[in-house]
Amino acid sequence: MTVTSLTDYDIHLFHEGQFFESFQVFGAHLTEQNGKKGTSFSVWAPHAKQVSVVGNFNNWDRNNHKMKKMSEEGIWNLFIEGIEEGEIYKYEIITSSDETLLKADPYAFQSEVRPNTASVVADLTGFNWTDQKWKRRKKQRQPYDRPLAIYEVHLGSWKLNDEKELYSYQELSQMLIPYVLEHGFTHIELLPIIEHPYDRSWGYQGTGYFSATSRFGKPKDLMHFINACHEENIGVIIDWVPGHFCKDTHGLYMFDGQPTYEYANEHDRENYIWGTANFDLGKTEVQSFLISNALFWIEYFHVDGFRVDAVANMLYWPNSNELVENPYAISFLKKLNEAVFIKDPDILMIAEDSTDWPMVTAPTSSGGLGFNYKWNMGWMNDILSYMEASPESRNELHHKVTFSLIYAFSENFILPFSHDEVVHGKKSLLNKMPGDYWQKFAQLRLLYGFMFTHPGKKLLFMGGEFGQYDEWKDLEQLDWMLEDYEMHNKMRVYFKQLLSIYSKQKPLFELDHSDEGFEWIDVSNREQSIFSFIRKSRKENELLVVVLNFKPVVYHDYKVGVPVDTEYVEIMNSDEMQFGGSGQTNPKNIKAVEGEFHGRPYHISMTIPPYGAVILRAVKKRGENKHGKKTVRRDVTSRG
């Protein structure tokens, strides 16, 4: 039970756009007043003539529990004795035009299971968190120079039970967490889990921003899921939508009969493409609401990050033929990021932004928007268009592979293959690949090889790890039966091995955001569509050589220039037979030979597999141990 009260100072902060913990007093809170137990209700409805709390407890009669107006700006409050946890309720609002509206609580901590739409009184306190070790670990290990591999999940279609019904949060924790651990992902990213009425909106059109969707259980069941993730050293990121919301009658839209959470001007308010309404990000009360919401998920659910949806839709005014900057949104995003990082300095704030807006991941103190990561949509679009082209025409699209390295270090990037790329007729990643059955798998392995060796952190939508053949079917589970097919099973083996290599090899992540960590060897082989480059760590001569062949041709004794006179060992080859390849590998260490090639003082001769990705590690040369004795330090990760 919590004891809450709405003070004059709270009201002032809310209207100033500075009440970032408004969830502590707005909504429904179990409390005690004058020795009597009950629930305190508070809501913002600035244009309402009258607001009442209605529910089964008063036969949904608005005359029984009319709320008191606490401020001229429209905050209403009422304490009702005897209301306990689990009671359902709504606000009945009489508008300025005497229309009657029934609205769910914008700050409700729980909602009824769809299709019902009432809010539920809930107590979020008292959960026994056991993730203190995880929190300490986060502080000690910042993400910038660490592996970051995100598994994007839609909980409603990852896996269904035998009756083809949804699993609960607790059931998913028993299945999803071991699966993620087995594959080596560092984080799970959940498509929006705020309450939403329509399954097929995937949570992007919400009604209950403070209410974890009841499709999978109660709020504390979600806490259990996140706590279990943390106990296994898995972070949890939630997809978060501060730009727009759905227009269902019980939700935020025209909350008190007039624009409240949305822009007053229809041209700015209506998001015609998605059929939603845009938040009025210049309104101070909306700023208090949304920033409080972000801090709420950190406070009560211990989330480790937010993927902020549709940033481009906020940065520029909607429904405009030209890109016109929205100053309210720009100011809001800076304010949001500042508040979130004060609350949790170790949080991930990830912008889903498809524009070329500068300094998205720079601190606000330096003139940036204040995020610490941004999806690299340009890389994703370029490489997918390159891969979908026929091998014969790829020499004409050579720049699609190289262009991203011109700007790769201008922001802190995440390379995303998300749900958006495998739905609505776009085909799955596997089925985007041209050619026959074998060639599709070979090229998908090659694509992943490029992804995990390219600078930037990684994100993959569920199903990509085993080569889901059909595009995402959001009302069905993934095609798990494909794991019984040899090539799909071998794809999963490959992906796990690739992720293991990625997590252990410092050159693949330590200097992700610095041009010191990447160097082209051969960027000009347009005719053969072969690319080679070096990834480096902070330690001198700790490096990997990566060779990618985007055509179905094998080469023997192919020369590649290298910077160090040592041996090179193949630690990953996408063409290994255990992965479904043709076995064109380099099983023995390759000795560098003196002689300039590709502008390097040394070169190696190697086998280049068809549609192959090869990672070679420079073997450490003879060094000295702490006693001054020379020792051979190979320390090489084995193939296989």
Side-chain angles (χ1 to χ4, degrees):
M1 176 178 290
T2 59
V3 179
T4 61
S5 59
L6 189 64
T7 68
D8 290 340
Y9 187 58
D10 292 337
I11 294 171
H12 169 76
L13 287 178
F14 180 74
H15 293 306
E16 287 289 310
Q18 298 294 334
F19 194 11
F20 298 156
E21 293 192 339
S22 56
F23 54 85
Q24 300 286 12
V25 291
F26 281 87
H29 291 268
L30 295 164
T31 186
E32 186 175 302
Q33 291 188 10
N34 301 320
K36 297 177 180 178
K37 295 181 179 180
T39 298
S40 173
F41 297 89
S42 297
V43 67
W44 175 54
H47 310 105
K49 277 187 179 180
Q50 177 183 303
V51 182
S52 302
V53 184
V54 295
N56 291 335
F57 53 88
N58 62 10
N59 294 316
W60 300 86
D61 186 345
R62 70 185 181 210
N63 295 311
N64 291 332
H65 293 103
K66 296 180 181 179
M67 304 184 78
K68 178 183 177 182
K69 194 172 184 180
M70 303 291 291
S71 75
E72 288 301 314
E73 297 86 355
I75 294 177
W76 304 76
N77 174 263
L78 180 67
F79 171 78
I80 305 179
E81 182 184 354
I83 298 293
E84 298 179 343
E85 186 171 18
E87 190 67 66
I88 65 171
Y89 69 99
K90 281 188 177 180
Y91 296 118
E92 184 166 316
I93 297 172
I94 306 299
T95 72
S96 58
S97 59
D98 292 323
E99 182 184 3
T100 299
L101 304 175
L102 268 179
K103 292 287 188 176
D105 187 348
Y107 281 87
F109 291 162
Q110 187 178 337
S111 304
E112 283 189 295
V113 180
R114 55 153 184 24
N116 296 323
T117 58
S119 301
V120 181
V121 176
D123 182 6
L124 300 187
T125 63
F127 182 81
N128 181 30
W129 289 96
T130 58
D131 63 350
Q132 294 77 16
K133 185 177 179 181
W134 165 256
K135 287 186 173 183
R136 289 194 299 269
R137 184 174 180 266
K138 274 206 309 180
K139 289 185 180 298
Q140 295 165 358
R141 307 176 75 180
Q142 294 298 308
Y144 311 106
D145 59 357
R146 301 293 306 167
L148 182 60
I150 303 166
Y151 189 56
E152 188 189 33
V153 176
H154 177 247
L155 291 178
S157 59
W158 181 71
K159 189 172 285 189
L160 302 177
N161 64 23
D162 292 340
E163 287 74 41
K164 297 185 178 181
E165 296 173 341
L166 302 175
Y167 280 112
S168 68
Y169 291 119
Q170 298 219 22
E171 290 170 329
L172 285 164
S173 71
Q174 297 169 17
M175 296 180 292
L176 180 56
I177 294 173
Y179 186 84
V180 167
L181 273 177
E182 176 191 357
H183 286 76
F185 290 98
T186 63
H187 289 70
I188 296 171
E189 181 178 303
L190 301 175
L191 265 63
I193 52 172
I194 60 173
E195 195 55 78
H196 53 284
Y198 183 47
D199 286 7
R200 304 205 73 179
S201 79
W202 313 329
Y204 288 98
Q205 299 184 15
T207 51
Y209 272 68
F210 293 82
S211 178
T213 178
S214 54
R215 287 166 172 77
F216 312 105
K218 296 182 178 180
K220 287 182 180 177
D221 296 328
L222 177 58
M223 294 179 191
H224 170 88
F225 173 85
I226 296 173
N227 190 60
C229 286
H230 289 172
E231 287 185 330
E232 297 293 347
N233 290 323
I234 298 170
V236 178
I237 301 165
I238 61 171
D239 208 331
W240 189 59
V241 192
H244 64 111
F245 56 90
C246 78
K247 294 164 64 174
D248 289 53
T249 55
H250 68 282
L252 299 176
Y253 188 68
M254 298 291 182
F255 186 75
D256 56 11
Q258 298 182 44
T260 305
Y261 290 89
E262 60 273 81
Y263 290 107
N265 185 297
E266 179 183 343
H267 188 74
D268 302 328
R269 176 176 69 242
E270 296 300 318
N271 196 312
Y272 297 112
I273 295 175
W274 295 323
T276 55
N278 295 311
F279 277 111
D280 183 346
L281 299 176
K283 191 175 291 184
T284 50
E285 293 87 354
V286 173
Q287 293 172 13
S288 287
F289 173 80
L290 288 172
I291 295 175
S292 290
N293 185 243
L295 270 57
F296 164 82
W297 287 101
I298 300 171
E299 174 78 20
Y300 280 106
F301 290 89
H302 293 201
V303 300
D304 302 292
F306 299 89
R307 179 265 196 186
V308 181
D309 177 66
V311 170
N313 185 65
M314 292 184 276
L315 289 174
Y316 298 98
W317 285 108
N319 309 316
S320 177
N321 293 328
E322 299 178 358
L323 292 179
V324 181
E325 294 180 8
N326 182 342
Y328 303 119
I330 296 164
S331 177
F332 164 76
L333 289 172
K334 292 180 178 181
K335 188 174 181 180
L336 164 71
N337 286 320
E338 288 171 356
V340 167
F341 281 110
I342 290 172
K343 178 71 173 179
D344 183 356
D346 308 308
I347 204 79
L348 293 169
M349 289 298 289
I350 305 166
E352 189 241 349
D353 176 28
S354 57
T355 74
D356 58 0
W357 190 280
M359 301 177 68
V360 172
T361 59
T364 58
S365 59
S366 301
L369 288 182
F371 292 92
N372 58 354
Y373 275 99
K374 170 181 173 172
W375 275 17
N376 193 336
M377 309 288 280
W379 171 85
M380 178 272 298
N381 285 315
D382 280 350
I383 192 60
L384 288 182
S385 65
Y386 181 83
M387 296 302 298
E388 289 182 271
S390 67
E392 296 78 20
S393 64
R394 284 176 179 166
N395 60 324
E396 301 171 3
L397 302 172
H398 196 77
H399 63 284
K400 295 283 189 180
V401 178
T402 62
F403 183 67
S404 61
L405 272 306
I406 295 175
Y407 63 85
F409 311 107
S410 62
E411 304 275 7
N412 295 340
F413 281 118
I414 291 175
L415 310 182
F417 288 140
S418 75
H419 65 281
D420 279 329
E421 312 320 315
V422 294
V423 73
H424 297 326
K426 294 181 182 178
K427 300 187 288 188
S428 68
L429 290 180
L430 177 65
N431 211 11
K432 290 178 192 287
M433 304 298 109
D436 61 26
Y437 186 75
W438 185 91
Q439 291 173 328
K440 286 181 179 294
F441 280 94
Q443 289 177 93
L444 184 58
R445 294 194 302 271
L446 169 60
L447 176 62
Y448 289 156
F450 183 42
M451 177 189 192
F452 278 88
T453 55
H454 188 290
K457 308 308 181 186
K458 325 299 177 186
L459 177 141
L460 182 72
F461 185 57
M462 62 184 196
E465 70 278 8
F466 61 80
Q468 171 86 9
Y469 197 87
D470 290 339
E471 68 175 25
W472 177 36
K473 297 164 286 193
D474 58 306
L475 296 180
E476 302 176 28
Q477 67 176 359
L478 295 177
D479 292 332
W480 293 106
M481 75 288 187
L482 292 177
E483 291 187 313
D484 295 330
Y485 289 79
E486 181 183 12
M487 290 297 285
H488 291 277
N489 188 51
K490 287 184 174 181
M491 174 61 73
R492 193 159 75 95
V493 171
Y494 169 72
F495 192 85
K496 287 195 292 184
Q497 180 70 2
L498 182 62
L499 207 44
S500 176
I501 293 288
Y502 166 71
S503 66
K504 293 172 183 176
Q505 297 296 326
K506 289 184 179 180
L508 292 180
F509 56 76
E510 198 170 64
L511 294 174
D512 256 334
H513 311 308
S514 168
D515 59 8
E516 296 176 0
F518 178 91
E519 194 174 317
W520 284 111
I521 296 175
D522 184 6
V523 69
S524 304
N525 192 343
R526 182 182 300 268
E527 291 308 313
Q528 291 176 303
S529 296
I530 295 177
F531 302 81
S532 53
F533 53 85
I534 300 168
R535 292 301 308 274
K536 294 180 280 188
S537 74
R538 292 195 180 98
K539 190 178 295 184
E540 186 178 4
N541 291 339
E542 185 176 34
L543 58 88
L544 300 174
V545 172
V546 179
V547 183
L548 308 170
N549 178 13
F550 288 94
K551 288 193 175 178
V553 181
V554 62
Y555 299 92
H556 299 287
D557 298 321
Y558 188 95
K559 285 186 179 181
V560 177
V562 293
V564 181
D565 181 15
T566 186
E567 291 184 345
Y568 293 80
V569 62
E570 186 175 85
I571 61 172
M572 171 60 76
N573 186 321
S574 66
D575 198 48
E576 289 187 38
M577 297 186 73
Q578 64 166 327
F579 305 143
S582 62
Q584 298 296 325
T585 64
N586 298 275
K588 295 181 180 180
N589 288 14
I590 307 170
K591 181 71 176 72
V593 176
E594 189 171 0
E596 185 175 344
F597 201 77
H598 290 145
R600 311 285 165 176
Y602 311 99
H603 65 268
I604 58 175
S605 295
M606 61 180 294
T607 294
I608 308 280
Y611 290 140
V614 178
I615 306 175
L616 304 171
R617 181 180 176 185
V619 177
K620 294 180 181 179
K621 299 181 71 176
R622 185 178 297 272
E624 301 236 343
N625 65 20
K626 64 181 180 179
H627 301 295
K629 296 180 180 179
K630 290 192 174 183
T631 178
V632 175
R633 298 176 58 209
R634 293 187 182 272
D635 188 27
V636 173
T637 303
S638 65
R639 292 171 63 249

